[in-house]
Amino acid sequence: MPAAVDVQRQMTPTYWQQASVDLAKADPVLAQFVEHFAGGMLVSRGDPFATLVRSIVGQQISVKAADSVWTRLLAVLPAVTASELLMREPASLRACGLSARKVEYVVDLARHFDERQIHDDHWSAMSDAEIISELTAVRGIGVWSAEMFLIFNQLRPDVFPLDDIGLQKAVARHYCRGERPGRRLLVEHGERWRPWRSVATWYLWRSLDPLPVEY
C-alpha cells in the first residue's frame, strides 16, 4: 500500500497588508514589529481534517516527537481522510506512536467528519463562534485548539485567543512592564486591534520568537 503524501496546499490571507498597515497606524508597539517582520504572514496548511489530526498528534509532546508520529501515521494511511482513518485498526494507530487517548480523539474526529457533524463546506458562511462550537464537540479539541485552527487553517482575521500563554507573555512584556495582564486588561488591549486581532496576535508571537508560528 503506498504511503500518504503530506501535500500542503498553502494559502495566505488576502487581508494581510491592509491589516498590517492599520495596526501599525493604531499602535506604535506593533508598528515596530510590522516593520521588523515585513514579508512574513500566516500560512494555512489547507486541508481541515489533516490539520486537526496533526494538532491532536502534537498535543503535550515535543515538536520532534510529533513529527516522528506524524511521519509514521502517513506511512499507514494512503490518504489523511476520515474514511481512511476509520478503516485502520486502533492497534495500527497505536503502533504509530499515538497514545490510547489520542487514538480515541482522532477516531472521534474522523467520525464527526464522516457523519457530517462538522460542516466544513459551510464554514465560509459561519461565524467564528459557530465553528468553535462544532469543533469543541469533538473529544480532544478545546476552545484554544479551535481558536488556533481558525487562525492558522481558516485564516480568520479577528480571533483573539485570551488563554494563549504566548499572547499573555507578549502583552506583559510590551504593554504591562512585565506583569501578566488579567483577562479584562487583555480584552481591553485587544479592542484596539479590531478587526485584525489574529494579525496582532501573530506579530506579538513573533516578538517572542523570531521563527514563524505554525499550527
Side-chain angles (χ1 to χ4, degrees):
M1 179 182 297
V5 178
D6 190 17
V7 176
Q8 296 181 4
R9 181 169 52 88
Q10 292 191 341
M11 299 176 290
T12 56
T14 57
Y15 56 75
W16 195 266
Q17 184 175 358
Q18 185 63 56
S20 298
V21 169
D22 290 349
L23 289 169
K25 288 180 179 178
D27 189 324
V29 173
L30 287 180
Q32 301 174 52
F33 305 145
V34 169
E35 180 180 2
H36 187 71
F37 298 111
M41 66 179 68
L42 285 168
V43 176
S44 172
R45 293 183 185 274
D47 180 70
F49 179 74
T51 298
L52 289 165
V53 172
R54 190 162 188 161
S55 74
I56 292 172
V57 167
Q59 289 176 0
Q60 299 181 328
I61 60 177
S62 70
V63 173
K64 183 177 181 180
D67 286 344
S68 176
V69 174
W70 183 251
T71 298
R72 281 179 274 171
L73 191 61
L74 292 176
V76 302
L77 293 175
V80 186
T81 64
S83 58
E84 289 291 346
L85 194 145
L86 288 172
M87 288 193 291
R88 306 277 85 75
E89 293 292 333
S92 68
L93 300 176
R94 288 291 308 275
C96 296
L98 288 171
S99 67
R101 178 160 295 180
K102 286 185 180 180
V103 169
E104 293 175 4
Y105 290 168
V106 296
V107 168
D108 190 47
L109 175 68
R111 285 175 178 157
H112 273 75
F113 270 84
D114 192 60
E115 296 171 4
R116 303 300 303 147
Q117 297 178 53
I118 290 180
H119 306 92
D120 53 308
D121 53 338
H122 295 161
W123 281 348
S124 61
M126 292 168 63
S127 68
D128 293 348
E130 288 170 333
I131 297 174
I132 288 172
S133 179
E134 278 201 351
L135 293 177
T136 53
V138 178
R139 295 182 63 191
I141 298 179
V143 172
W144 178 85
S145 294
E147 290 171 335
M148 293 300 103
F149 180 80
L150 285 178
I151 293 173
F152 287 101
N153 184 271
Q154 295 296 293
L155 302 177
R156 291 291 176 111
D158 197 37
V159 179
F160 198 53
L162 292 170
D163 295 321
D164 184 77
I165 300 300
L167 173 63
Q168 294 171 8
K169 286 182 177 179
V171 171
R173 175 180 298 182
H174 301 301
Y175 300 92
C176 302
R177 299 180 180 179
E179 184 174 341
R180 189 71 64 86
R183 195 175 185 88
R184 177 180 292 182
L185 182 57
L186 197 58
V187 169
E188 290 176 359
H189 277 286
E191 287 303 308
R192 74 182 71 176
W193 301 323
R194 286 182 182 272
W196 309 121
R197 289 180 296 174
S198 300
V199 182
T201 299
W202 185 89
Y203 279 116
L204 289 168
W205 282 328
R206 291 296 300 274
S207 76
L208 300 179
D209 187 342
L211 294 176
V213 183
E214 295 184 354
Y215 181 75

